Amino acid sequence: MATVTVPANTSVFLLDIEGTTTPITFVKDILFPYIREHLEEYLSDHWEEDECKQDVHLLKKQSEEDLRQHRACPVACASQSGQTDEEKAIREVVEGVLWQMAADRKTTALKQLQGHMWRAAYATGRIQGEVYPDVVPAIRAWRQRGMKIYIYSSGSVEAQKLLFGYSIEGDLLDLFDGHFDTNVGAKVESQSYVRIAERIGVQPQDIMFLTDVTREAKAAEEAGLSVAVVMRPGNMELTDEERSHYTTVTSFGQIA
Ligand SMILES: [Mg+2]
C-alpha cells in the first residue's frame, strides 16, 4: 500500500461521506429500506405528536399538489372492514410515501419525514452510521499534527451529524471542525470549493479533498484544492485516464 504525499501547505482535509468514509451501500441498503420497513409503525407510534402531525400535513399538501399537476397518485386505498379512521389515514400516508420513494421524488415533505424517522432510529440505536475501519485512526493522526477536518456531503448537515454522532465507533463528532452540504453549492461545481475555503478561512490550495467521484474531484481541482480519489469496494471504477491523472488511495491510512 503506497503512501501518498500530502502537499506541504495542507492544513485542512475535506471529506466526502458516501464511497469515501462510508460504504456507498449504506444509504441504499440501510437508510432507505429502514423507512420502507418501519413507516407504518413509526406513524402509529407518533401519530398524535405535533411533529408527526406537521409531517403528515406537509405530505397531504404534496399529494394535493401532485394531483393538481396530474401526477399519478395511489391514495385510493380500499378500506378494510374493522379498520379505524386512524388506521385508514395512516395507510393512506404510507401508500403516498412509498409511492414518492419508488418514484425517487425529493420533495421537502418526504425528506422531512425521513429525517425525523432516521433521527429516532439513530437515537434508539436501531441504525448506526457506518465508517470504514481506516477512517478514525487516520483522522486522529491528522488532527494530532494540527490538521483541521471538515465534511462535505450532499446529505444534509443534520444527516451527517446523525451518521457520525451515532456511528458503529461511537460519537465521532469531536473529530470534525465543521460540516458542509449542498447549501454551499453542488459538489460538481468548482465555485462550491472556493466558498468552502472562504468559510473555513484558508486558501483553496491549503485543502486536500477526498472523494470517490471524479466529477467532484475535477471541480475541486479547478478551484485549486489538492485531491485524492478514494477507491472503495462498490465504488464506480475509474477509467485508465482517471487513474493516471488522479492520486488514488484505497485507505485513509495511505495519506500520511
Ligand atoms: Mg461520495
Side-chain angles (χ1 to χ4, degrees), residues 15-28 31-32 132 152-155 163-164 187 210-213 216 230 232 235:
L15 311 176
D16 165 61
I17 297 180
E18 278 177 60
T20 300
T21 64
T22 298
I24 207 154
T25 49
F26 178 68
V27 172
K28 188 167 75 68
L31 289 187
F32 285 108
Y132 284 110
Y152 181 29
S153 165
S154 46
L163 194 158
F164 291 114
K187 293 178 79 186
L210 306 185
T211 182
D212 59 313
V213 175
E216 298 172 5
V230 183
R232 302 284 197 183
N235 285 4

Side-chain angles (χ1 to χ4, degrees), residues 70-92:
H70 306 293
R71 291 179 192 265
C73 204
V75 268
C77 310
S79 68
Q80 292 161 15
S81 57
Q83 217 178 18
T84 64
D85 285 351
E86 182 180 306
E87 283 164 352
K88 188 166 179 291
I90 288 173
R91 202 55 231 163
E92 283 186 4

Side-chain angles (χ1 to χ4, degrees), residues 42-205:
Y42 177 87
L43 290 169
S44 301
D45 289 351
H46 300 274
W47 193 250
E48 295 299 331
E49 294 167 20
D50 285 345
E51 185 183 83
C52 187
K53 283 181 185 169
Q54 285 165 19
D55 292 348
V56 168
H57 177 70
L58 210 56
L59 285 160
K60 283 200 173 129
K61 274 173 52 186
Q62 181 64 49
S63 298
E64 287 162 16
E65 181 63 28
D66 285 344
L67 276 179
R68 260 198 302 277
Q69 301 202 0
H70 306 293
R71 291 179 192 265
C73 204
V75 268
C77 310
S79 68
Q80 292 161 15
S81 57
Q83 217 178 18
T84 64
D85 285 351
E86 182 180 306
E87 283 164 352
K88 188 166 179 291
I90 288 173
R91 202 55 231 163
E92 283 186 4
V93 175
V94 168
E95 294 297 328
V97 168
L98 293 179
W99 176 81
Q100 283 202 47
M101 286 179 71
D104 201 24
R105 300 289 302 281
K106 310 267 189 222
T107 64
T108 304
L110 179 61
K111 283 193 187 176
Q112 185 171 306
L113 175 74
Q114 288 171 333
H116 290 150
M117 282 186 69
W118 285 324
R119 189 184 61 200
Y122 276 114
T124 54
R126 296 167 89 178
I127 292 181
Q128 289 187 308
E130 278 184 55
V131 284
Y132 284 110
D134 51 271
V135 169
V136 174
I139 293 177
R140 289 198 200 286
W142 298 336
R143 291 187 66 88
Q144 275 194 337
R145 281 187 284 130
M147 301 285 173
K148 298 221 177 300
I149 318 292
Y150 289 82
I151 297 288
Y152 181 29
S153 165
S154 46
S156 68
V157 167
E158 197 192 351
Q160 299 172 21
K161 288 184 175 171
L162 288 172
L163 194 158
F164 291 114
Y166 299 98
S167 87
I168 51 174
E169 301 200 35
D171 182 352
L172 302 176
L173 290 177
D174 280 352
L175 296 180
F176 304 111
D177 296 280
H179 297 257
F180 296 97
D181 59 22
T182 49
N183 278 316
V184 79
K187 293 178 79 186
V188 295
E189 283 168 18
S190 66
Q191 194 56 36
S192 307
Y193 299 87
V194 174
R195 267 184 227 119
I196 286 173
E198 278 170 10
R199 298 264 182 96
I200 297 175
V202 295
Q203 295 300 313
Q205 299 86 298

